[in-house]
């Protein structure tokens, strides 16, 4: 088994280190965050850091890179207007989604350059991605500066959720493989997860029970 120390990580060539550390922590969520500026310009960008923070209230967070040297249109638009959408990336849109990572000028919409379509639902300020099978409308509630690497965690409240009812189980759970939601491996690898099983709530001393496998 390969063994790499922190000293070796520090001494690595930049791109090699970037690829290693971004992939070694496992698969990440693959989402497009869409926003609108105060001048009504629209922006959409791929993020692999969106994560669940809590269900009551329903909160999510994501990490944005440093804003001092490089313009971050997503962050700027959220701070100006408070609203953004989180849109799952599906198998048939990975090329378009990945292209949103290109550094376009602020006045250029990634929607126009990638073939993704903007969609407005229920008078929500920010656009959704029409091709996405799972969409969340969120409102900015807070941010936390992470001094260790000069990044910001943005916290959003989930105000709207859209998905095809066929992917929802009776207990509320969403089967994301049926929605063809992909995951990100590192920065540029896209994978389609295959659901192996789903288990009931784990308790000490209780036998593990599957939702899908019938008892003999």
């Amino acid at each position: 088994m390969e063994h790499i120390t922190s000293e070796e990580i520090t001494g690595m060539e930049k791109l090699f280190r970037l690829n290693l550390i971004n992939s070694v922590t496992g698969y990440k969520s693959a989402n497009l965050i869409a926003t609108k500026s105060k001048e009504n310009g629209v922006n959409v960008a791929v993020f692999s850091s969106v994560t669940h923070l809590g269900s009551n209230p329903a909160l999510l967070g994501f990490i944005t890179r440093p804003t001092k040297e490089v313009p971050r249109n997503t962050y700027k638009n959220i701070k100006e207007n408070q609203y953004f959408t989180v849109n799952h990336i599906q198998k048939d849109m990975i090329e378009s989604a990945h292209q949103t990572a290109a550094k376009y000028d602020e006045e250029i919409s990634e929607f126009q350059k990638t073939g993704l379509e903007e969609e407005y639902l229920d008078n929500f300020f920010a656009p959704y991605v029409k091709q996405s099978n799972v969409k969340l409308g969120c409102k900015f509630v807070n941010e936390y500066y992470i001094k260790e690497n000069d990044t910001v965690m943005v916290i959003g409240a989930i105000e709207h959720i859209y998905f095809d009812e066929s992917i929802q189980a009776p207990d509320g759970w969403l089967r994301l493989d049926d929605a063809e939601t992909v995951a990100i491996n590192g920065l540029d690898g896209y994978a389609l997860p295959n659901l192996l099983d789903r288990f009931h709530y784990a308790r000490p001393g209780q036998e593990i029970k599957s939702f899908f496998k019938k008892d003999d």
Side-chain angles (χ1 to χ4, degrees):
M1 179 176 285
E2 182 72 16
H3 173 217
I4 299 172
T5 66
S6 59
E7 291 81 8
E8 291 172 316
I9 293 171
T10 302
M12 286 176 179
E13 185 272 328
K14 179 180 177 181
L15 185 58
F16 188 93
R17 182 176 61 243
L18 190 74
N19 285 328
L20 171 63
I21 301 304
N22 272 281
S23 59
V24 76
T25 52
Y27 288 108
K28 298 172 284 188
S29 63
N31 290 285
L32 290 164
I33 295 182
T35 59
K36 188 197 291 187
S37 71
K38 62 183 180 182
E39 295 84 14
N40 289 321
V42 292
N43 169 265
V44 62
V46 59
F47 279 80
S48 62
S49 61
V50 176
T51 187
H52 161 87
L53 293 180
S55 58
N56 187 24
L59 297 173
L60 57 76
F62 70 91
I63 303 296
T64 184
R65 298 303 303 171
T67 60
K68 294 175 183 175
E69 289 137 5
V70 179
R72 304 291 173 183
N73 298 328
T74 297
Y75 178 75
K76 173 178 173 287
N77 291 345
I78 291 173
K79 290 304 298 288
E80 285 182 353
N81 297 308
Q82 308 293 296
Y83 294 98
F84 62 98
T85 68
V86 175
N87 307 268
H88 285 205
I89 298 172
Q90 274 85 236
K91 179 177 71 172
D92 60 355
M93 53 192 283
I94 58 175
E95 294 90 349
S96 296
H98 187 70
Q99 185 59 29
T100 66
K103 293 178 173 60
Y104 294 106
D105 291 337
E106 183 177 2
E107 65 273 11
I108 297 175
S109 169
E110 290 84 357
F111 281 106
Q112 297 173 354
K113 294 296 182 179
T114 62
L116 296 169
E117 298 178 65
E118 55 188 291
E119 177 181 42
Y120 293 89
L121 300 171
D122 297 306
N123 298 313
F124 196 70
F125 179 81
Y128 295 90
V129 177
K130 187 173 183 179
Q131 291 96 323
S132 180
N133 289 334
V134 181
K135 320 174 206 280
L136 309 174
C138 302
K139 183 177 182 180
F140 172 84
V141 293
N142 210 342
E143 65 179 348
Y144 295 91
Y145 176 66
I146 303 172
K147 66 179 181 180
E148 287 76 10
N149 64 346
D150 194 28
T151 57
V152 175
M153 170 173 267
V154 176
I155 311 298
I158 301 173
E159 295 193 341
H160 302 275
I161 304 174
Y162 300 91
F163 56 86
D164 190 302
E165 62 181 13
S166 66
I167 71 170
Q168 187 172 40
D171 65 354
W173 177 77
L174 299 183
R175 182 158 181 161
L176 297 181
D177 58 334
D178 284 349
E180 296 192 322
T181 292
V182 303
I184 290 182
N185 179 189
L187 291 173
D188 48 19
Y190 295 82
L192 188 62
N194 178 33
L195 185 68
L196 301 177
D197 208 335
R198 183 186 178 212
F199 299 106
H200 288 266
Y201 191 82
R203 300 181 188 278
Q206 189 175 77
E207 183 181 357
I208 298 171
K209 187 176 181 182
S210 167
F211 275 92
F212 301 142
K213 297 175 183 175
K214 302 297 182 183
D215 295 331
D216 294 333

